[in-house]
Amino acid sequence: MAKLREIQDITVCESTAEMLTKGRADGVSTAFDRADDMKPCPIGAQNACCKHCFMGPCRLSSKAPYEKVGVCGANIDTFQARGFARAVAAGTAAHSDHGREIAELFLTVAKGENPDFEIKDETKLVAFAKNMGVETADRALADVAIELGEACLAQFSQQHGHLKLLELAPKKRFEKWRELGILPRGVDREVVEMMHRTTMGVDQEYRNITLGAARCALADGWGGSMVSTELSDILFGTPVPRQAVMDIGVLEEKQVNLIVHGHEPQVLDMLVRLAEEPAMVEKAKAAGAEGINLVGMCCSGNEQLIRRGIPHVGNFMQCDAAIITGAVDEMVVDVQCIQAGLANLAKCYHTKFVTTNYRCKIDGAEHVEFDGAHNARAAGTKLVELAIESYRHRKGVHIPKKEVTPLIAGFSHETINYMLGGSFRASYTPLNDNIINGRIRGVAGVVGCNNPRVKHDWVHIELVKELLKNDILVVQTGCSAIALAKAGFMQPEAAKKYCGPGLAEVCETVGMPPVLHAGACVDNSRILIALSEMVKTGGLGDDISDLPVAGSAPEYMSEKAIAIGHYFVASGVFTVFGSSLPHVEGTKWADYALGAGLEADVGGYWAVEPDPYKHAKLMIDHINRKREALGIMEKKERVLFDMEARREL
Ligand code: MSK
């Protein structure tokens, strides 16, 4: 094993540091240790390795003469564009397969075939049905719901035309996509086509591949992900701001601790209800516990944090730390971001590690099939009972000393609209006004994962501090949101402590935190809708690419993050990535994707910057440029029309 980093160089999260120290004393290995032991392959990291056929694998370098090509003759630009595009396709597939599962579950509920779930938000059902082109007037809600479910499922298999939800984008944006020929037709079609185009001997022009990848990514953001988020809101409730607590300290010494980790909301939704049932609590008591403590982790946790205020343990790189407490009686997982190493780590303690989805089985894990459409209650009951049984086998328990952090989460685009517009006039006008008058300089979406190769949570936190100081409102999802929540940025009091005077004034007036938690990584689609609404509200240009906004994924690790980044770029948003991939420099593809070439095509482009301060500067400079172009660089109050002025008009 290579020399391991000191704990203080691994994480800034106090509770994680305490547990990693314990883990080393216990002699167990974590993902941080494995990252130290596994040197990343520099050729692979540059997407300069091609193994799309079996004449290779071929390796190129940006430092080698440009004429040096692979066996088939493909150059480094083709290699990089194809590697990037395949990551986009994989990320799109992941979000969209999640979205399809939700659509199938929704349809069983709509048809009255699934007593385990119900439609929670009928208002949103009607609003979303209208957006999907489903007739709602004078119809029974059940009929609307069935047609909506079918229409959503059809978005995946559709072969012609364009995805319906793209029409929510500003007109100019939609027309740009049409002109470029990148309006996605159907989600599955775009993923299949991307895999075809990037196989040996097909698309070998880097610009064409990158624009093809944009079409695929748009099918994620405005297709699979958006369907997932909107239907999840209808089924499990549209998020509204609610108080909760976060960090490993949510684990309880004297209760059965059951963590749900992964992405799809139905598992945690069912288990929460079961864990509250008196008969189940009695079973826990019979096993010697005081009760059942059901908590979320990663994006499964985010899904129910924003909807029910369920306590949250932590982000992707805290899974090891949570198990090391010895207090986790069971970790239930479904799909995405489940590290295989957790199954082995769980064996070193008494933790039951249980997979639940046929698409995700892991060597060494127990498997209880949870099919939301058919057996949610039965499977859920078994899962809670396994946790209770596991409690009997506890050895030592060590819960971190650090107190849990209170937070407010649940900022859907509907909530932002309502909150900033007030009770009588839900609208984005006050947000736009405050951007125009300069109190708010702009808006940043800071999202994405943790990556064990960078100091856990540090880049997220330092970056957001810089943005807030510069009056930039921050909207978050995924593991990045969890990092900032733990650090105390999701309380209204954070405004005074961290923000510039303009943003602090707005937050204090509204009573909101300066960092808004919008949900799981699949919920970035909420940000697309919010950006479109800002354009439609007026005063900030007529396309998303005119807005003073920027995107960021400072510690990303997943292919899903590449798909998210590319759908923001393709929607007109400048997007900066932090850690590791894509290490792209010195090639024509890199010059195109990270600069004026891609910006000229789609209005957005990429940047890569691991240093949080330089990363923030790139975003702030971009926002300033957009303000300059809009003519709102100088602070000025917007002239509001009074009745007299209106009459004159
Ligand atoms: S869980 S994709 S580590 S945000 Fe959505 Fe976190 Fe990234 Fe997974």
Side-chain angles (χ1 to χ4, degrees):
M1 172 76 76
K3 188 173 175 333
L4 302 181
R5 281 168 289 175
E6 298 296 330
I7 300 287
Q8 71 264 23
D9 297 328
I10 290 180
T11 180
V12 292
C13 172
E14 230 179 287
S15 57
T16 305
E18 187 180 337
M19 287 305 103
L20 292 179
T21 306
K22 174 178 185 285
R24 285 196 180 165
D26 292 351
V28 299
S29 140
T30 68
F32 289 109
D33 302 338
R34 292 191 292 274
D36 289 344
D37 196 42
M38 174 72 67
K39 267 214 153 65
C41 160
I43 307 283
Q46 286 189 352
N47 267 341
C49 164
C50 177
K51 49 191 185 68
H52 298 196
C53 81
F54 299 91
M55 298 190 287
C58 298
R59 295 179 306 159
L60 297 174
S61 160
S62 56
K63 302 206 172 53
Y66 190 68
E67 298 68 40
K68 175 90 179 146
V69 291
V71 174
C72 73
N75 59 31
I76 191 164
D77 298 310
T78 306
F79 277 27
Q80 289 194 319
R82 283 197 300 216
F84 170 82
R86 284 216 162 177
V88 169
T92 301
H95 284 140
S96 301
D97 209 34
H98 170 164
R100 188 201 332 266
E101 183 109 337
I102 297 290
E104 283 178 339
L105 171 62
F106 176 82
L107 210 45
T108 61
V109 179
K111 288 179 178 168
E113 295 167 355
N114 189 341
D116 295 335
F117 297 95
E118 61 183 12
I119 287 174
K120 285 247 177 65
D121 190 339
E122 294 182 352
T123 310
K124 181 144 188 176
L125 166 67
V126 174
F128 185 50
K130 285 181 181 156
N131 285 340
M132 283 295 297
V134 174
E135 184 55 60
T136 57
D138 303 322
R139 293 186 76 191
L141 219 53
D143 293 341
V144 173
I146 292 169
E147 197 180 324
L148 174 62
E150 302 284 9
C152 286
L153 266 183
Q155 295 291 283
F156 295 94
S157 54
Q158 187 173 287
Q159 300 299 325
H160 302 290
H162 62 261
L163 295 175
K164 183 72 186 159
L165 296 168
L166 294 157
E167 293 171 17
L168 295 179
K171 259 202 183 71
K172 192 167 169 193
R173 175 69 12 204
F174 186 88
E175 283 313 316
K176 182 168 258 313
W177 291 329
R178 191 202 298 278
E179 276 163 31
L180 282 166
I182 60 169
L183 280 171
R185 294 149 291 187
V187 178
D188 296 354
R189 176 163 187 174
E190 302 312 338
V191 174
V192 169
E193 183 176 295
M194 208 61 250
M195 293 305 286
H196 172 209
R197 281 168 71 162
T198 50
T199 197
M200 194 269 151
V202 189
D203 205 349
Q204 286 155 88
E205 186 192 86
Y206 64 84
R207 176 174 174 265
N208 205 41
I209 297 168
T210 311
L211 289 176
R215 190 178 207 177
C216 183
L218 290 171
D220 176 354
W222 298 86
S225 281
M226 203 172 276
V227 162
S228 176
T229 296
E230 301 298 285
L231 288 184
S232 294
D233 283 356
I234 296 168
L235 270 181
F236 307 110
T238 303
V240 291
R242 46 180 92 243
Q243 285 206 303
V245 286
M246 186 175 283
D247 215 335
I248 302 175
V250 298
L251 297 174
E252 295 284 350
E253 196 167 342
K254 295 188 176 152
Q255 296 200 32
V256 174
N257 290 309
L258 198 172
I259 294 181
V260 179
H261 164 36
H263 280 81
E264 296 180 349
Q266 56 270 38
V267 182
L268 186 49
D269 184 89
M270 187 73 236
L271 296 196
V272 169
R273 286 179 278 142
L274 287 168
E276 284 168 355
E277 288 185 356
M280 209 53 107
V281 176
E282 279 315 307
K283 280 188 188 171
K285 287 186 176 160
E290 286 179 356
I292 303 170
N293 183 35
L294 199 82
V295 290
M297 185 123 219
C298 240
C299 280
S300 282
N302 277 336
E303 292 270 2
Q304 297 301 351
L305 170 78
I306 57 168
R307 296 195 171 94
R308 288 173 175 265
I310 297 293
H312 198 291
V313 185
N315 50 20
F316 174 68
M317 282 313 296
Q318 289 183 279
C319 293
D320 289 320
I323 291 176
I324 289 168
T325 60
V328 181
D329 300 301
E330 185 182 21
M331 185 178 275
V332 169
V333 300
D334 56 14
V335 289
Q336 301 170 19
C337 305
I338 319 294
Q339 299 191 50
L342 294 173
N344 279 335
L345 183 68
K347 289 206 176 86
C348 302
Y349 299 88
H350 79 296
T351 306
K352 275 217 172 296
F353 187 77
V354 187
T355 53
T356 57
N357 196 291
Y358 75 96
R359 295 170 295 181
C360 172
K361 292 192 178 180
I362 297 174
D363 271 343
E366 228 169 279
H367 187 79
V368 174
E369 191 100 352
F370 182 103
D371 173 356
H374 299 105
N375 75 347
R377 173 163 280 271
T381 303
K382 191 158 177 204
L383 289 167
V384 180
E385 285 173 351
L386 276 175
I388 294 170
E389 177 54 30
S390 171
Y391 179 86
R392 297 178 191 273
H393 304 284
R394 277 213 188 157
K395 298 166 196 159
V397 168
H398 177 142
I399 294 175
K401 288 190 279 296
K402 182 183 169 276
E403 297 267 308
V404 294
T405 313
L407 69 138
I408 297 178
F411 294 91
S412 55
H413 59 86
E414 290 92 341
T415 299
I416 298 174
N417 194 14
Y418 170 78
M419 187 182 59
L420 287 164
S423 1
F424 299 110
R425 186 184 53 145
S427 136
Y428 277 78
T429 307
L431 174 63
N432 283 20
D433 282 349
N434 279 305
I435 292 174
I436 291 165
N437 68 31
R439 282 195 190 90
I440 298 177
R441 187 189 299 260
V443 181
V446 182
V447 307
C449 327
N450 301 124
N451 187 320
R453 297 201 180 278
V454 296
K455 198 178 194 175
H456 169 236
D457 287 353
W458 180 72
V459 194
H460 292 296
I461 294 170
E462 293 306 304
L463 167 68
V464 170
K465 275 188 195 163
E466 290 298 305
L467 297 173
L468 296 182
K469 234 181 357 198
N470 284 280
D471 290 316
I472 294 172
L473 178 68
V474 176
V475 182
Q476 293 210 279
T477 61
C479 291
S480 184
I482 300 166
L484 271 295
K486 279 184 296 170
F489 285 72
M490 292 188 181
Q491 304 159 14
E493 302 76 48
K496 202 168 183 179
K497 194 162 166 196
Y498 297 109
C499 299
L503 180 60
E505 188 187 333
V506 175
C507 291
E508 280 168 11
T509 309
V510 179
M512 69 179 195
V515 179
L516 306 179
H517 192 326
C521 47
V522 78
D523 292 330
N524 284 306
S525 55
R526 296 190 201 277
I527 302 179
L528 293 176
I529 296 179
L531 296 177
S532 301
E533 288 303 314
M534 284 169 70
V535 173
K536 290 175 195 168
T537 298
L540 293 174
D542 50 12
D543 192 355
I544 294 175
S545 56
D546 295 333
L547 294 172
V549 301
S552 160
E555 299 183 15
Y556 89 99
M557 64 85 201
S558 167
E559 289 168 314
K560 289 184 290 171
I562 303 277
I564 294 167
H566 209 41
Y567 72 62
F568 273 107
V569 165
S571 299
V573 180
F574 171 61
T575 302
V576 192
F577 268 41
S579 53
S580 58
L581 278 171
H583 277 315
V584 284
E585 47 190 36
T587 64
K588 288 184 196 166
W589 177 72
D591 289 347
Y592 169 73
L594 278 67
L598 187 55
E599 187 179 25
D601 279 335
V602 295
Y605 63 105
W606 289 81
V608 179
E609 179 50 69
D611 178 280
Y613 311 107
K614 293 183 192 160
H615 191 122
K617 186 169 181 319
L618 287 171
M619 296 170 78
I620 296 163
D621 287 349
H622 176 82
I623 285 172
N624 284 342
R625 264 198 307 278
K626 292 293 168 183
R627 293 186 65 87
E628 199 92 58
L630 288 165
I632 56 168
M633 204 47 195
E634 294 303 314
K635 268 194 173 206
K636 62 176 179 206
E637 292 296 332
R638 178 174 173 159
V639 180
L640 292 172
F641 287 103
D642 58 16
M643 210 28 104
E644 204 170 325
R646 277 180 214 281
R647 268 191 218 114
E648 231 172 82
L649 263 179

mmCIF file of all heavy atoms in Angstrom, residues 263 298-299 316 337 448-449 478-479 521 557-558 560, ligand 1:
data_model
loop_
_atom_site.group_PDB
_atom_site.id
_atom_site.type_symbol
_atom_site.label_atom_id
_atom_site.label_comp_id
_atom_site.label_asym_id
_atom_site.label_seq_id
_atom_site.Cartn_x
_atom_site.Cartn_y
_atom_site.Cartn_z
ATOM 1 N N HIS A 263 -30.365 6.515 -5.036
ATOM 2 C CA HIS A 263 -30.983 7.610 -5.779
ATOM 3 C C HIS A 263 -32.498 7.615 -5.902
ATOM 4 O O HIS A 263 -33.095 8.675 -5.987
ATOM 5 C CB HIS A 263 -30.354 7.701 -7.173
ATOM 6 C CG HIS A 263 -29.048 8.411 -7.130
ATOM 7 N ND1 HIS A 263 -27.890 7.799 -6.747
ATOM 8 C CD2 HIS A 263 -28.726 9.704 -7.362
ATOM 9 C CE1 HIS A 263 -26.904 8.681 -6.759
ATOM 10 N NE2 HIS A 263 -27.385 9.842 -7.127
ATOM 11 N N CYS A 298 -26.559 10.527 0.773
ATOM 12 C CA CYS A 298 -26.334 10.855 -0.629
ATOM 13 C C CYS A 298 -27.641 11.363 -1.264
ATOM 14 O O CYS A 298 -28.384 12.094 -0.628
ATOM 15 C CB CYS A 298 -25.836 9.608 -1.332
ATOM 16 S SG CYS A 298 -24.242 9.763 -2.066
ATOM 17 N N CYS A 299 -27.959 10.932 -2.478
ATOM 18 C CA CYS A 299 -29.128 11.510 -3.145
ATOM 19 C C CYS A 299 -30.452 10.864 -2.736
ATOM 20 O O CYS A 299 -31.483 11.528 -2.759
ATOM 21 C CB CYS A 299 -28.929 11.499 -4.657
ATOM 22 S SG CYS A 299 -27.873 12.885 -5.149
ATOM 23 N N PHE A 316 -21.549 11.401 -0.575
ATOM 24 C CA PHE A 316 -20.933 10.218 -1.184
ATOM 25 C C PHE A 316 -19.688 9.727 -0.438
ATOM 26 O O PHE A 316 -19.532 8.550 -0.187
ATOM 27 C CB PHE A 316 -20.591 10.596 -2.640
ATOM 28 C CG PHE A 316 -19.827 9.578 -3.411
ATOM 29 C CD1 PHE A 316 -20.406 8.364 -3.757
ATOM 30 C CD2 PHE A 316 -18.527 9.832 -3.827
ATOM 31 C CE1 PHE A 316 -19.710 7.429 -4.500
ATOM 32 C CE2 PHE A 316 -17.820 8.904 -4.569
ATOM 33 C CZ PHE A 316 -18.413 7.701 -4.906
ATOM 34 N N CYS A 337 -23.826 5.392 -7.593
ATOM 35 C CA CYS A 337 -22.924 5.921 -6.556
ATOM 36 C C CYS A 337 -22.809 4.996 -5.343
ATOM 37 O O CYS A 337 -22.535 5.446 -4.223
ATOM 38 C CB CYS A 337 -23.313 7.326 -6.119
ATOM 39 S SG CYS A 337 -23.421 8.451 -7.520
ATOM 40 N N GLY A 448 -22.950 18.494 -7.914
ATOM 41 C CA GLY A 448 -22.032 17.386 -8.161
ATOM 42 C C GLY A 448 -21.526 16.700 -6.905
ATOM 43 O O GLY A 448 -21.955 16.969 -5.791
ATOM 44 N N CYS A 449 -20.540 15.845 -7.156
ATOM 45 C CA CYS A 449 -20.145 14.802 -6.217
ATOM 46 C C CYS A 449 -19.030 15.231 -5.273
ATOM 47 O O CYS A 449 -18.631 16.385 -5.233
ATOM 48 C CB CYS A 449 -19.635 13.624 -7.036
ATOM 49 S SG CYS A 449 -20.454 13.392 -8.625
ATOM 50 N N GLY A 478 -27.400 17.586 -5.034
ATOM 51 C CA GLY A 478 -26.471 16.472 -4.888
ATOM 52 C C GLY A 478 -25.565 16.566 -3.672
ATOM 53 O O GLY A 478 -25.912 17.150 -2.640
ATOM 54 N N CYS A 479 -24.374 15.995 -3.822
ATOM 55 C CA CYS A 479 -23.445 15.899 -2.696
ATOM 56 C C CYS A 479 -22.825 17.249 -2.368
ATOM 57 O O CYS A 479 -22.369 17.473 -1.244
ATOM 58 C CB CYS A 479 -22.384 14.855 -2.999
ATOM 59 S SG CYS A 479 -23.116 13.208 -3.009
ATOM 60 N N CYS A 521 -29.103 14.865 -7.474
ATOM 61 C CA CYS A 521 -28.407 15.223 -8.715
ATOM 62 C C CYS A 521 -29.353 15.168 -9.926
ATOM 63 O O CYS A 521 -29.158 15.887 -10.896
ATOM 64 C CB CYS A 521 -27.158 14.382 -8.921
ATOM 65 S SG CYS A 521 -27.378 12.628 -8.655
ATOM 66 N N MET A 557 -17.133 13.270 -9.762
ATOM 67 C CA MET A 557 -16.480 11.985 -10.055
ATOM 68 C C MET A 557 -17.306 11.136 -11.024
ATOM 69 O O MET A 557 -16.803 10.210 -11.619
ATOM 70 C CB MET A 557 -16.185 11.190 -8.765
ATOM 71 C CG MET A 557 -17.401 10.754 -7.973
ATOM 72 S SD MET A 557 -18.111 9.210 -8.543
ATOM 73 C CE MET A 557 -19.776 9.304 -7.908
ATOM 74 N N SER A 558 -18.606 11.425 -11.187
ATOM 75 C CA SER A 558 -19.483 10.506 -11.902
ATOM 76 C C SER A 558 -19.678 10.929 -13.361
ATOM 77 O O SER A 558 -19.636 12.118 -13.685
ATOM 78 C CB SER A 558 -20.851 10.487 -11.196
ATOM 79 O OG SER A 558 -21.820 9.851 -11.986
ATOM 80 N N LYS A 560 -22.412 10.897 -14.670
ATOM 81 C CA LYS A 560 -23.657 11.683 -14.641
ATOM 82 C C LYS A 560 -23.342 13.178 -14.582
ATOM 83 O O LYS A 560 -24.063 13.995 -15.148
ATOM 84 C CB LYS A 560 -24.497 11.293 -13.418
ATOM 85 C CG LYS A 560 -25.113 9.926 -13.504
ATOM 86 C CD LYS A 560 -25.999 9.651 -12.307
ATOM 87 C CE LYS A 560 -25.197 9.493 -11.048
ATOM 88 N NZ LYS A 560 -26.037 9.426 -9.835
HETATM 89 S S1 MSK B 1 -25.019 11.064 -5.346
HETATM 90 S S2 MSK B 1 -23.733 11.499 -8.789
HETATM 91 S S3 MSK B 1 -21.883 11.411 -5.918
HETATM 92 S S4 MSK B 1 -23.840 14.154 -6.560
HETATM 93 FE FE1 MSK B 1 -26.276 11.835 -6.649
HETATM 94 FE FE2 MSK B 1 -23.518 12.530 -5.134
HETATM 95 FE FE3 MSK B 1 -22.528 12.727 -7.547
HETATM 96 FE FE4 MSK B 1 -23.532 10.499 -6.826
#
